């Protein structure tokens, strides 16, 4: 069910859709709660707290402020906001009256996504490189919410996923120049591991190769790529092992050696931990009949 409003209030003119997702969408998908746009006609302040929602909005014109987690942020045209509305927040236009496009949305897994966003350096307020990409998604969401498409909840989920992808792309915010330089060097570290993952690689090897403290390397690698160096190497090795199991006649032990996971039973244990079945069972499943 949806409600369309065009609200000529004393302080804002707004066009919005309050959206009620299906029970399936509410339980399983990223789902929309509200989407719209507004133009301030007088200075005003909006305050909210304890909403089970996340808010993303883009400043289309004008200027204003957002107060969130005890800090005030000044906003100008092209700035974007992404906040957890379970916490208190307020926003207000300046005398240079603003226009906004926004959406409120939620999913049971979204708090974990927001933590990952913050872990990568994501900020409540940022200036995206391409604000138009955000505006395009808000327009898509509005049209979908207003439509009678029988799979609109799935399409809304798709658009909200695209919004989260944009937000995560914008979340890279190194603290200072030194950190920025080190994180840029991670690309070289990752490329080296991509080329040499089948060999024995240790943190000491990477520290010596790239002159980055191994403990610091562990920290910024996980912050940047969302997994540990060990997990990344295992993923690369398991992926290559699956190719060899399916498309060669190499023995299980030979495959383990070829991907840098040799040792009595080590390869089989790690493969089963990752895939839920042994290398032998995996090969059997994919054998042509």
């Amino acid at each position: 069910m949806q409600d369309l409003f065009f609200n000529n209030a004393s302080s804002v003119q707004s066009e919005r859709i309050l959206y009620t997702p299906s029970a399936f969408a509410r339980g399983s998908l990223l789902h929309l709660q509200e989407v719209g746009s507004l133009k301030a006609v007088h200075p005003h302040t909006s305050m909210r707290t304890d909403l089970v929602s996340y808010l993303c909005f883009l400043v289309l014109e004008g200027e204003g402020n957002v107060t969130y987690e005890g800090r005030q942020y000044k906003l100008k045209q092209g700035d974007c906001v992404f906040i957890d509305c379970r916490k208190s927040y307020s926003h207000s236009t300046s005398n240079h009256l603003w226009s906004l496009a926004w959406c409120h949305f939620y999913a049971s897994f979204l708090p974990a996504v927001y933590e990952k966003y913050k872990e990568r350096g994501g900020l409540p307020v940022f200036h995206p490189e391409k604000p138009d990409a955000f505006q395009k998604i808000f327009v898509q969401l509005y049209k979908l919410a207003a439509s009678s498409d029988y799979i609109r909840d799935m399409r809304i989920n798709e658009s909200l996923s695209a919004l989260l992808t944009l937000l995560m792309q914008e979340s890279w915010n190194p603290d200072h120049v030194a950190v920025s330089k080190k994180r840029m060097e991670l690309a070289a570290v990752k490329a080296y591991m991509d080329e040499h993952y089948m060999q024995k690689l240790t943190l000491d090897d990477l520290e010596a190769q790239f002159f980055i403290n191994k403990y610091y390397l562990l920290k910024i690698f996980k912050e940047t790529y969302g997994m540990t160096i060990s997990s990344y190497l295992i993923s690369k090795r398991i992926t290559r092992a699956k190719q060899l199991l399916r498309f060669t006649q190499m023995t299980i032990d030979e495959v383990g050696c070829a991907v840098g996971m040799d040792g009595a039973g080590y390869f089989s244990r790690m493969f089963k931990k990752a895939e839920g079945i042994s290398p032998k069972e995996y090969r059997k499943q994919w054998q042509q009949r």
Side-chain angles (χ1 to χ4, degrees), residues 113-284:
V113 174
Y114 195 71
E115 286 304 310
K116 178 59 65 177
Y117 172 80
K118 292 194 298 181
E119 182 181 304
R120 285 176 49 83
L123 302 173
V125 175
F126 60 93
H127 192 88
E129 184 177 345
K130 297 179 179 178
D132 289 351
F134 285 86
Q135 186 175 4
K136 181 179 178 181
I137 291 178
F138 292 135
V139 171
Q140 287 176 344
L141 286 167
Y142 191 92
K143 289 180 178 178
L144 285 169
S147 76
S148 56
D149 190 329
Y150 75 100
I151 57 168
R152 62 182 175 176
D153 279 335
M154 295 298 297
R155 298 192 193 281
I156 286 170
N157 174 75
E158 183 178 18
S159 291
L160 289 173
S161 293
L163 176 61
L164 283 180
T165 298
L166 282 178
L167 288 165
M168 292 301 270
Q169 287 174 343
E170 295 289 344
S171 68
W172 186 303
N173 287 288
D175 301 316
H176 47 74
V177 174
V179 174
S180 178
K181 181 175 182 295
K182 291 298 184 184
R183 286 186 171 174
M184 288 176 63
E185 289 173 356
L186 278 182
V189 176
K190 183 171 175 291
Y192 181 83
M193 290 193 293
D194 288 344
E195 184 177 354
H196 299 280
Y197 67 89
M198 71 293 296
Q199 302 171 10
K200 297 289 187 184
L201 286 179
T202 68
L203 281 174
D204 290 332
D205 294 333
L206 295 175
E207 182 179 53
Q209 180 77 18
F210 294 97
F211 306 103
I212 303 177
N213 178 273
K214 60 185 177 183
Y215 301 110
Y216 184 70
L217 179 59
L218 278 173
K219 178 179 181 293
I220 62 173
F221 190 93
K222 186 172 182 181
E223 287 178 355
T224 303
Y225 297 112
M227 64 177 71
T228 65
I229 289 175
S230 175
S231 295
Y232 182 76
L233 285 172
I234 289 171
S235 176
K236 291 287 296 184
R237 289 164 175 167
I238 295 297
T239 299
R240 178 57 177 162
K242 289 191 291 186
Q243 294 173 335
L244 296 176
L245 289 168
R246 287 183 61 180
F247 303 116
T248 77
Q249 298 301 313
M250 294 170 67
T251 67
I252 303 299
D253 287 343
E254 287 171 341
V255 171
C257 289
V259 300
M261 299 177 76
D262 54 324
Y266 175 68
F267 168 58
S268 292
R269 289 196 305 274
M270 297 306 295
F271 190 96
K272 188 168 185 177
K273 183 177 180 180
E275 295 294 313
I277 56 176
S278 69
K280 183 177 180 180
E281 290 168 327
Y282 178 86
R283 170 173 272 172
K284 186 176 180 180

Side-chain angles (χ1 to χ4, degrees), residues 11-12 38 44-48 65 67 89-93 98:
S11 57
V12 299
L38 67 80
H44 71 282
T45 298
S46 297
M47 303 179 67
R48 300 285 187 274
N65 299 281
T67 301
Y89 72 94
S90 67
H91 54 76
S92 59
T93 182
W98 65 11

